[in-house]
Amino acid sequence: MTKATHQQNLQGNHACALAAVAAGCRFYAGYPITPSSEVAERMSLELPRVGGTFVQMEDEIASMGAVLGASMGGIKAMTATSGPGFSLKQENIGYGVMAEVPCVIVNVMRGGPSTGMPTRPAQGDVMQARWGMHGGYQIIVLAPASVSEVYGQTVRAFNLAERLRTPVVVLIDEVIGHLVETVRIPDPGGLDIQQRNWAAVAAGEYQPYAAGDDMVPAMARPGDGYRAHTTGLTHDESGFPTQDPETVERVSRRLLGKFEHHRAQIDQFEELQTRDAEILIVAYGISARAARRAVREARSKGIKAGLFRPITIWPFPQQALTKAAKKAKRILVPEMNAGQIVLEVERVAGRGRVKGINRIDGQAVTPSDILEAIGTGD
Amino acid sequence: MAGMKVKKTSPRHEFEIRLSGSGGQGLQLLARIFAHAFSSEGKVVAQSQSYEPTSRGGLSRSDLVVGMSEPDYPLATNIDFMLILDQVAVKAADGVISDDSLVITDARLVTDPPKGAFRVLALPIMETAIGLGNPRVANIVAMGALTGEGNLCSIEIIEAAIRENVHAKLTNLNVKAFQEGLNLVAN
């Protein structure tokens, strides 16, 4: 990774591991599971080379706990899994949200529910990534659509995790995770890396959950002499539990509000010919690659089609979609599930003109699936 | 808010290859060597795979979409060159090959090849590998036949890619297997 940029054939899962290391990740704990195992495998090779730690844990729950512990200990940390493991990790991810522990969780989606189809692709965890935990909360979920984007979005996941002091999910589908593409990965020296915001006040004045204008509290670096109490219970600025209504209201509003405050940095999306689009496709991951081709083929036949691709899928980029959908008479939402993001698109654009294109047969959405729904007359 | 625009022009798309057979026949390795060779020529490759949760047997396939820039859709939809090394993989030809496609099959292991207006070449791939003393190089024999018949890539570049992707002890055997594959389709 110290070499200058060069062209190489890289698998999505390997790109994820390389990006994590480039973003400063020095701790990985996980329990290998298809189709995410190559992330763990590559991390086990890369981390020792940079003085990092790789732990193959006894299960997914413990993995997530170890990641939180490592991050609280001052190290950027990550785990990777697939659906069944993602379910197991939810409780500890919730702890990470509440205790504001920066970390990255990679979920390479496979067919479900339950153990489903380990080697077949799906996009069935979109709602789980948003709502998988109990309690009201915000979370950031990024959905890359190519190998080079897996790299970029994994780096971004670490940056957002540190900037907002929160768990960030990278949601990859099996196709993209296992896809090998010829890519040019950036020189790690040229990457924009967010470092942790360490507490710098006098030890006696430090409050682990007191935030300034940016709504994100500075963290205590272990060894710097700060006292920091951490709990999953609702806590005040001191880090100790409270049930005082006024305080609870204040700290809960901040925990949710920091995401809106940093929204400009969180939102990311891509548009292809949306300006005059009468038929708008909204898609993410591999389904968006199918949509890209479908849009170009439809355009070549004179059909005004366009693509809106959320890259950050949660929080959902509703303002940008509203704008992109202005002229759309029909909005098509291809997904490898029975209809998840389509609900969000309906919320934003209104139900009448929105229609899902759903594959739940363990196969990727194809350009022809979308062209058929567009109705190109072929 | 960070919105990105994609270029309106379509990426230049050249050809698609499907390498299919049964698990354990080295099809993923074959795809990796091809991908290595094409990208050494400056092309951009998207390589995808499909496999079943067994280590041996069962349909295994690997696809390559080759062009000059990142393809819109990285999965194969219209195969130009197809290799079938086992009867179990014949079904992988359904709906993705057209009249212009070239299909190469193993004459012994594929008893009922796909039928259509496309060209099917049944070649003694496995027999050649056994003749070389190791049936496991059937994938590389097939690589020679595909490369020669499809005029896919320069011979030197493929040989270099083989050298970089197989164990040093087996380099000579694999290069020989590749040449024997080329011979199967010479003249």
Side-chain angles (χ1 to χ4, degrees), chain A residues 9 119-120 178-182 267-271 273 286 289-290 292-293 296 311 319 364-367, chain B residues 1-10 35-36 39 45-47 49-51 70-75 77:
Chain A
N9 296 329
T119 64
R120 301 305 318 164
H178 278 160
L179 186 67
V180 173
E181 291 192 284
T182 309
D267 275 2
Q268 200 168 65
F269 54 89
E270 181 192 86
E271 289 179 90
Q273 301 201 282
I286 182 62
R289 300 284 292 269
R292 236 184 241 173
R293 188 195 283 176
R296 286 199 234 267
I311 298 168
Q319 278 182 14
V365 172
T366 66
Chain B
M1 222 183 280
M4 303 191 278
K5 294 274 181 196
V6 201
K7 272 189 265 172
K8 285 183 188 173
T9 49
S10 297
H36 187 123
S39 59
V45 183
Q47 180 199 334
Q49 54 179 342
S50 172
Y51 63 107
E70 184 186 272
D72 280 339
Y73 191 58
L75 304 183
T77 52

Side-chain angles (χ1 to χ4, degrees), chain B residues 49-83:
Chain B
Q49 54 179 342
S50 172
Y51 63 107
E52 290 170 10
T54 49
S55 57
R56 292 285 180 274
L59 169 64
S60 172
R61 66 169 166 83
S62 196
D63 296 343
L64 296 162
V65 172
V66 185
M68 293 311 291
S69 59
E70 184 186 272
D72 280 339
Y73 191 58
L75 304 183
T77 52
N78 200 344
I79 309 280
D80 301 286
F81 306 98
M82 177 149 188
L83 171 69

Side-chain angles (χ1 to χ4, degrees), chain A residues 53-123:
Chain A
T53 304
F54 173 92
V55 191
Q56 180 164 328
M57 298 292 293
E58 70 270 35
D59 63 39
E60 285 91 345
I61 299 172
S63 311
M64 195 60 227
V67 163
L68 295 178
S71 181
M72 285 191 248
I75 307 289
K76 289 188 182 179
M78 174 172 96
T79 187
T81 189
S82 187
F86 195 50
S87 294
L88 290 167
K89 289 180 195 291
Q90 294 298 322
E91 185 183 7
N92 275 337
I93 300 172
Y95 187 94
V97 169
M98 186 56 140
E100 299 181 77
V101 185
C103 58
V104 173
I105 302 103
V106 178
N107 175 4
V108 187
M109 292 180 283
R110 66 192 219 177
S114 189
T115 36
M117 290 182 288
T119 64
R120 301 305 318 164
Q123 296 177 312

